[in-house]
C-alpha cells in the first residue's frame, strides 16, 4: 500500500489565486483534511496519467465500454502508482475527451491519496462554461446541503495534453463519512439512466437504485420510506426520511432554476441511509443556473418544479413525475417562500453567487480556450449569460432589483420622455424580458433603454447640460448578428461608437447638450437578429 504525505501542490503558471475575496478551502470539521487543496477553487492544478498507450486509446476512443485500465497518477510532485482509470457518465460521454473516474484502491487494496479513494474528472461536455459545478455546489454547501467539492485541472496522458477538466469529489464512503460522520449505511445511486421514480411507491427498488459502496443494500429502506411517505402519519415518515433535508435541497435547486433534479424530474442525486433515515445528496448541475432552456429556468416554481422540466416523466412507464417528498412537506406546512427568502438573502445571495461566477470565469478562461473541445467562444458567451441569469432569476425571486443602483445625480432616461421606432419588438425602459436593468458583457446596468437595432429614439431634454451613459448589446446566448453602431445627435453628430458585437464591453460617452430633442440611433449590418442594442444608465446633469 502506498501512502502519501501531505506536501505542497505544484501549480501551473496561470493558477495564481484570483483577485478579490478569496473562497475558503473547506475542511472536514475538527480534522486536518489533506484533500482540501485538491478542491481549491482559486487554483488550477496539473495532473498527469501514465498508462499503456493501447489502454488509453481504448478509454479515449471507446468511452461507452467503460473498461478499467491501470495507470500511474501524478499531481504536482505527488505520485500514486497502479490506480484504476475508466470513463464514466451517460449523456456527457464523448470520445476524444471522456470524463474519467480515478480509483486509487482498485488495484492496490487500501491505497488512498490525500484521504481519497477516488476522484472524478468531468469533461464538462454539457457545460461549455465549466462553471456550473463550481458555482452550484459551493452555494449548496453554504446552504447546508451536502454537495461534492470541485476544482479544475489540466490533464496530460503519457505526456500529451488530454484537456481541461472539472475535478469532482466522488460521492462515496469517504464523502458520506465527511458529511454525516460515518459510512455505516447503504449509499444508492440511480441505476443506469432510470429517472422519474424518486420516492414514489415502488415494488423493486433495485430497478431504480443500485448500491454504491461495499456496505451494499437491497433498497428496502427506500421502498419503506416511499410507502410511509404515501400512506402514514408524519411521525412515521420522519423516522425513515430526512424531510427537512429533502425540502432544503429541493428549494435550493429550484432557486437555481434546475430542470433536472430530484424534485424536477427525479434525476441526478444519491440517497444515503443515515441511521435508518434516507437523506439526499444532489449531483450533476449542468442543467442548473440557466445552463439549458434558460427562459424556462427563470420560471421554475419552487412549489412544483416538475411543471417546468421537459423530462418530468417516468423513464419506464412514461407517467408524469411529481416529487412526493416536496408535496408531503407542503402538506405538513413547510414554507417554501420563507426558505427562498432565507437562501437568497444569505448563503445563496446574488452578491456571493455573482462574485463566484465572475472570479471562477476569470481564473479558467485561458484553459477553456486551450481545451480540446474548442469551447472557447461558447465559454465567452456562457460566462456572461450565467451572470445575467443570476441577476434575472434572483430579481424575480426577490420581487425587486437585487443589484446595487447608485443615485444617478441627475435626470434619468425615464424622465426624458423617450420615444421612437425599433427594428424588432418594442422600446422598453429600464427592463427587458430578462429582468430589471440590462447586462452587457456580464456587467449590470440599472437603467436605460432597450431598442433593438436598427432603432431611432428621441429624448426630450427639459434643460441643457451633460448627457452621459453607455451603449452596447444586451447579453443572452447570442451567437448571431453582425453588431451594431451607436450615434448621439442634436442637430449634428455629438458621439458615435465603433461597431459593437455581442459580448463586447459597453462604450461610454459624455456629451454637452442643449435643451430640446436629442436623437439616439443604432444601426446594424445585414443581419440584426441578435443585435439587441441598449442605451445604458443615461443621465442628464447640469453643466
Amino acid at each position: 500500500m502506498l501512502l502519501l504525505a501531505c506536501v505542497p501542490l505544484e501549480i501551473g503558471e496561470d493558477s495564481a489565486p484570483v483577485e478579490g475575496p478569496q473562497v475558503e478551502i473547506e475542511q472536514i470539521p475538527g480534522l486536518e483534511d489533506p484533500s482540501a487543496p485538491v478542491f481549491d477553487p482559486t487554483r488550477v492544478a496539473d495532473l498527469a496519467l501514465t498508462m499503456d498507450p493501447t489502454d488509453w486509446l481504448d478509454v479515449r476512443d471507446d468511452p461507452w465500454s467503460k473498461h478499467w485500465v491501470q495507470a500511474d497518477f501524478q499531481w504536482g510532485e505527488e505520485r500514486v502508482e497502479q490506480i484504476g482509470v475508466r470513463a464514466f457518465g451517460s449523456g456527457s460521454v464523448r470520445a476524444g475527451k471522456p470524463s474519467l473516474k480515478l480509483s486509487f484502491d482498485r488495484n492496490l487494496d487500501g491505497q488512498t491519496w490525500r484521504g481519497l479513494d477516488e476522484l472524478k474528472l468531468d469533461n464538462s461536455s454539457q457545460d461549455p462554461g465549466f462553471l456550473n459545478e463550481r458555482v452550484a455546489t459551493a452555494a449548496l454547501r453554504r446552504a447546508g446541503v451536502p454537495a461534492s467539492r470541485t476544482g479544475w485541472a489540466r490533464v496530460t496522458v503519457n505526456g500529451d495534453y488530454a484537456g481541461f477538466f472539472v475535478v469532482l469529489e466522488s460521492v462515496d464512503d469517504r464523502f458520506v463519512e465527511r458529511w454525516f460522520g460515518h459510512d455505516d449505511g447503504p449509499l444508492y445511486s440511480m441505476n443506469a439512466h432510470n429517472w422519474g421514480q424518486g420516492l414514489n411507491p415502488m415494488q423493486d427498488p433495485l430497478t431504480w437504485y443500485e448500491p454504491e459502496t461495499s456496505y451494499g443494500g437491497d433498497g428496502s429502506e427506500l421502498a419503506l420510506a416511499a410507502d410511509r411517505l404515501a400512506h402514514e402519519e408524519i411521525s412515521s415518515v420522519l423516522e425513515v426520511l430526512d424531510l427537512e433535508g429533502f425540502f432544503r435541497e429541493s428549494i435550493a435547486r429550484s432557486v437555481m432554476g434546475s430542470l433536472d433534479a430530484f424534485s424536477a424530474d427525479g434525476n441526478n442525486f444519491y440517497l444515503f441511509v443515515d441511521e435508518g433515515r434516507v437523506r439526499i445528496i444532489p449531483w450533476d448541475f449542468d442543467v442548473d443556473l440557466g445552463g439549458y432552456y434558460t427562459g424556462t429556468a427563470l420560471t421554475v416554481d419552487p412549489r412544483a418544479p416538475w411543471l417546468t422540466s421537459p423530462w418530468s416523466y417516468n423513464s419506464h412507464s412514461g407517467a408524469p413525475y411529481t416529487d412526493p417528498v416536496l408535496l408531503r412537506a407542503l402538506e405538513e406546512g413547510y414554507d417554501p417562500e420563507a426558505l427562498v427568502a432565507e437562501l437568497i438573502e444569505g448563503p445563496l445571495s446574488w452578491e456571493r453567487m455573482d462574485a463566484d461566477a465572475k472570479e471562477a470565469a476569470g481564473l479558467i478562461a485561458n484553459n477553456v480556450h486551450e481545451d480540446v473541445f474548442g469551447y472557447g467562444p461558447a465559454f465567452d458567451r456562457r460566462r456572461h449569460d450565467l451572470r445575467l441569469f443570476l441577476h434575472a432569476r434572483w430579481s424575480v425571486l426577490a420581487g425587486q432589483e437585487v443589484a446595487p443602483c447608485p443615485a444617478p445625480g441627475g435626470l434619468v432616461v425615464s424622465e426624458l420622455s423617450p420615444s421612437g421606432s425599433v427594428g424588432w419588438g418594442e422600446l422598453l425602459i429600464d427592463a427587458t424580458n430578462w429582468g430589471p436593468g440590462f447586462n452587457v458583457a456580464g456587467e449590470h446596468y440599472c437603467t436605460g433603454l432597450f431598442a433593438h437595432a436598427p432603432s431611432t429614439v428621441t429624448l426630450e431634454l427639459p434643460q441643457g447640460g451633460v448627457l452621459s451613459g453607455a451603449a452596447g448589446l444586451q447579453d443572452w446566448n447570442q451567437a448571431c448578428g453582425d453588431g451594431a453602431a451607436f450615434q448621439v445627435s442634436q442637430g449634428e453628430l455629438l458621439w458615435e461608437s465603433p461597431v459593437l458585437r455581442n459580448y463586447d464591453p459597453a462604450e461610454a460617452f459624455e456629451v454637452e447638450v442643449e435643451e430640446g430633442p436629442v436623437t439616439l440611433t443604432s444601426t446594424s449590418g445585414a443581419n440584426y437578429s441578435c443585435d439587441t442594442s441598449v442605451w445604458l444608465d443615461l443621465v442628464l446633469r447640469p453643466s
Side-chain angles (χ1 to χ4, degrees):
M1 181 173 69
L2 179 63
L3 297 176
L4 295 170
C6 182
V7 300
L9 299 178
E10 296 294 322
I11 305 296
E13 61 180 1
D14 63 344
S15 306
V18 295
E19 295 181 0
Q22 296 300 297
V23 180
E24 304 85 3
I25 302 175
E26 296 181 32
Q27 306 282 339
I28 297 176
L31 297 174
E32 181 180 353
D33 180 6
S35 70
V38 179
F39 309 107
D40 182 348
T42 68
R43 296 182 180 275
V44 175
D46 290 304
L47 188 159
L49 297 171
T50 306
M51 67 182 76
D52 183 281
T54 302
D55 287 343
W56 172 235
L57 291 177
D58 179 39
V59 173
R60 187 192 68 185
D61 298 339
D62 185 19
W64 298 272
S65 66
K66 299 183 179 178
H67 296 151
W68 283 102
V69 301
Q70 182 171 296
D72 294 337
F73 165 94
Q74 187 158 343
W75 179 290
E77 297 301 314
E78 302 178 50
R79 184 176 175 84
V80 186
E81 297 179 349
Q82 301 182 51
I83 74 166
V85 177
R86 71 163 174 85
F88 82 91
S90 181
S92 63
V93 173
R94 298 290 187 277
K97 185 196 170 188
S99 295
L100 300 173
K101 178 184 284 190
L102 312 182
S103 174
F104 299 109
D105 62 354
R106 179 170 179 81
N107 299 317
L108 293 177
D109 186 44
Q111 177 170 258
T112 65
W113 175 66
R114 289 184 169 265
L116 302 172
D117 291 333
E118 67 177 41
L119 198 62
K120 288 183 174 178
L121 305 178
D122 187 337
N123 63 10
S124 208
S125 64
Q126 295 179 305
D127 174 20
F130 289 73
L131 294 167
N132 276 27
E133 296 287 343
R134 156 74 179 96
V135 176
T137 60
L140 290 172
R141 291 192 300 274
R142 289 195 299 268
V145 176
S148 294
R149 297 171 292 176
T150 70
W152 291 284
R154 292 176 292 261
V155 178
T156 60
V157 178
N158 296 333
D160 296 325
Y161 186 55
F164 179 61
F165 290 79
V166 179
V167 179
L168 296 179
E169 179 183 21
S170 292
V171 177
D172 58 10
D173 50 1
R174 299 279 179 170
F175 176 94
V176 296
E177 184 173 14
R178 189 172 79 85
W179 266 98
F180 305 113
H182 68 95
D183 62 355
D184 188 22
L187 173 69
Y188 295 99
S189 65
M190 296 179 63
N191 190 345
H193 199 48
N194 298 333
W195 77 90
Q197 180 65 25
L199 285 177
N200 287 287
M202 64 191 94
Q203 295 298 317
D204 183 6
L206 295 186
T207 298
W208 304 98
Y209 301 105
E210 61 180 335
E212 273 291 307
T213 67
S214 59
Y215 189 94
D218 60 7
S220 58
E221 310 92 345
L222 309 184
L224 175 63
D227 182 70
R228 289 194 182 184
L229 191 66
H231 301 113
E232 299 194 16
E233 297 293 327
I234 188 61
S235 58
S236 180
V237 172
L238 295 178
E239 291 176 356
V240 296
L241 183 74
D242 176 21
L243 187 60
E244 171 63 31
F246 273 81
F247 179 70
R248 194 169 188 83
E249 188 270 353
S250 175
I251 300 302
R253 288 198 80 168
S254 287
V255 164
M256 296 191 292
S258 182
L259 307 176
D260 195 21
F262 184 88
S263 289
D265 61 354
N267 196 21
N268 291 327
F269 59 90
Y270 291 78
L271 298 175
F272 176 58
V273 183
D274 177 14
E275 298 181 343
R277 297 173 70 230
V278 180
R279 305 184 70 167
I280 188 168
I281 302 165
W283 179 259
D284 194 349
F285 301 91
D286 295 338
V287 194
D288 291 53
L289 301 171
Y292 291 84
Y293 303 96
T294 310
T296 303
L298 284 174
T299 68
V300 171
D301 179 358
R303 286 183 169 270
W306 48 84
L307 295 180
T308 42
S309 173
W311 309 288
S312 58
Y313 56 89
N314 187 297
S315 60
H316 279 205
S317 69
Y321 176 76
T322 57
D323 173 13
V325 185
L326 177 56
L327 289 173
R328 187 61 185 267
L330 297 176
E331 180 184 319
E332 298 298 332
Y334 285 61
D335 187 344
E337 287 79 14
L339 183 53
V340 167
E342 173 195 325
L343 293 172
I344 67 174
E345 292 170 9
L348 271 63
S349 71
W350 172 78
E351 292 85 356
R352 184 64 182 267
M353 301 286 288
D354 184 66
D356 282 353
K358 182 178 181 179
E359 292 163 12
L363 174 68
I364 67 174
N366 290 342
N367 292 286
V368 179
H369 275 270
E370 295 168 359
D371 182 57
V372 298
F373 272 163
Y375 276 175
F379 167 80
D380 291 337
R381 297 192 295 271
R382 176 58 181 156
R383 67 187 298 187
H384 299 323
D385 288 337
L386 171 57
R387 297 182 66 198
L388 172 61
F389 174 81
L390 290 171
H391 175 265
R393 177 65 172 163
W394 266 241
S395 294
V396 167
L397 292 170
Q400 62 184 12
E401 168 71 75
V402 293
C405 295
L411 297 177
V412 296
V413 67
S414 59
E415 300 172 294
L416 301 178
S417 303
S419 63
S421 62
V422 297
W424 176 85
E426 59 183 321
L427 181 67
L428 299 174
I429 302 173
D430 296 342
T432 69
N433 296 329
W434 308 293
F438 308 94
N439 277 61
V440 174
E443 297 304 313
H444 183 71
Y445 298 82
C446 289
T447 64
L449 296 173
F450 177 86
H452 199 298
S455 64
T456 301
V457 177
T458 300
L459 306 180
E460 295 293 341
L461 308 187
Q463 63 191 49
V466 175
L467 180 68
S468 64
L473 299 185
Q474 164 79 31
D475 296 347
W476 201 262
N477 196 29
Q478 299 170 85
C480 57
D482 49 10
F486 298 80
Q487 295 180 339
V488 179
S489 303
Q490 192 176 48
E492 61 180 5
L493 180 65
L494 301 179
W495 173 83
E496 65 180 337
S497 76
V499 173
L500 300 177
R501 301 189 182 277
N502 300 321
Y503 302 100
D504 282 348
E507 287 278 329
F509 66 87
E510 185 173 280
V511 294
E512 290 279 349
V513 292
E514 299 177 353
E515 179 182 345
V518 165
T519 302
L520 309 177
T521 305
S522 67
T523 58
S524 65
N527 180 358
Y528 65 86
S529 61
C530 277
D531 297 332
T532 49
S533 57
V534 290
W535 296 88
L536 307 160
D537 287 356
L538 296 168
V539 179
L540 176 64
R541 299 180 178 89
S543 298

